[in-house]
Amino acid sequence: MEISDIWCEKYRPSTLDDIVLNKTARTYFNTVQQEKNIPNVLFVGKPGIGKTSLAKIIVKDILKCQYLYINASDENGIDTIRTKVLNFAQTQSLFGSIKVIILDECDGLSIDAQKALRNSIEEYHDLTRFVLTANYKHKIIPALQSRCQIFDISYDKTDYISKLISIVKAENVKINKEQFTSIIDSCYPDFRKGINTLQKFNLSGGGEPEIFNNVEFFDGLLDLLRNKKYTTIRKNIIKNEAVFNNDYDELFKHLFNYIYDCNLTEDKKRDCLITVSRYFYQNSQCIDQEINFYSCILDLKI
């Protein structure tokens, strides 16, 4: 399969007009495009919402400038800041304009790396701007946040639906209203997940899309917990990994909302919510997220 056959790449926005933004953000970046200048910015939002696409649109379409792209989740140590970032930031642009460093997923940077980056942002401001993206703002140190204009990337659900409808029409996908609604409800606001699910649906010949039913899933897990079928609980979690896209962070959020709404005494609900919150916090630091989630289920006092 060619890269052009992968829909999430085929329909990745490449210009400011292509990308879905809320009204405030669009007005702001239209102004940036006119003035050809930008401050340091931090884009925060859920995976697949368009943070990286917007960062690349800034350097390729809005500013048309020299830039350096670094995936900070892969290169997350202080050496990356001391070598790659500093070497690029301290030299004059070939075109005489500002340069931009994109640090994608910068919430993956170590604390030391973030502190070093804080100094680099100030020292080389005349030559270089920084565009940072992050899934979790709280993982970015306050000193770094204060040096950036922060944008919580979001958009209306109707814009999300309109974009997927345009892809359905362009690719002539045979899908009914109920099937399309199920995909929207499962994937919003993640464009990447929505487009991938549509392509999977289309390639599978229009079969029913495999949608994660979190209420049914958690009902089953807690029923097994009450019956002390601990081995079966783990088997069910692993069996459904493909359905919830192996995204344990999102699964924890679903679990928290499920317990918040379920029919438990207030004391039990309080204890369970605290337990889920504790394991959710551990999820970003543990070695195996599946084991962490499984342990969380076993620790619930239902």
Side-chain angles (χ1 to χ4, degrees), residues 117-260:
L117 178 61
R118 171 193 62 189
N119 298 328
S120 300
I121 286 178
E122 287 193 339
E123 186 171 354
Y124 302 109
H125 181 76
D126 291 341
L127 298 173
T128 307
R129 302 291 192 274
F130 289 79
V131 176
L132 316 180
T133 77
N135 294 330
Y136 305 106
K137 185 166 66 174
H138 69 273
K139 293 184 179 180
I140 307 298
I141 60 173
L144 197 52
Q145 291 187 39
S146 70
R147 286 164 170 79
C148 300
Q149 292 188 7
I150 301 173
F151 289 86
D152 290 306
I153 304 299
S154 62
Y155 35 73
D156 193 78
K157 194 172 185 177
T158 56
D159 294 329
Y160 182 87
I161 293 171
S162 297
K163 185 71 173 181
L164 290 194
I165 286 176
S166 70
I167 294 173
V168 167
K169 290 179 178 179
E171 300 293 340
N172 195 27
V173 180
K174 306 301 181 184
I175 186 170
N176 62 42
K177 184 177 180 180
E178 290 73 22
Q179 292 167 333
F180 184 74
T181 301
S182 293
I183 291 175
I184 296 296
D185 291 342
S186 173
C187 301
Y188 173 80
D190 188 332
F191 266 122
R192 183 168 53 238
K193 183 178 178 182
I195 294 171
N196 281 334
T197 304
L198 269 180
Q199 185 170 25
K200 180 182 176 182
F201 174 85
N202 189 58
L203 292 174
S204 64
E208 287 296 323
E210 194 174 18
I211 303 300
F212 177 55
N213 186 325
N214 60 308
V215 174
E216 182 180 303
F217 176 70
F218 293 128
D219 279 345
L221 290 187
L222 297 188
D223 187 54
L224 291 170
L225 182 63
R226 293 185 186 98
N227 289 291
K228 300 182 179 180
K229 296 184 178 180
Y230 305 125
T231 305
T232 310
I233 289 173
R234 189 177 187 195
K235 288 179 180 177
N236 276 19
I237 294 170
I238 295 172
K239 183 176 70 174
N240 282 277
E241 279 185 334
V243 184
F244 60 80
N245 206 30
N246 208 27
D247 188 344
Y248 282 93
D249 280 344
E250 198 66 25
L251 193 61
F252 269 109
K253 293 177 187 178
H254 283 306
L255 177 59
F256 188 91
N257 291 331
Y258 170 86
I259 291 174
Y260 184 85

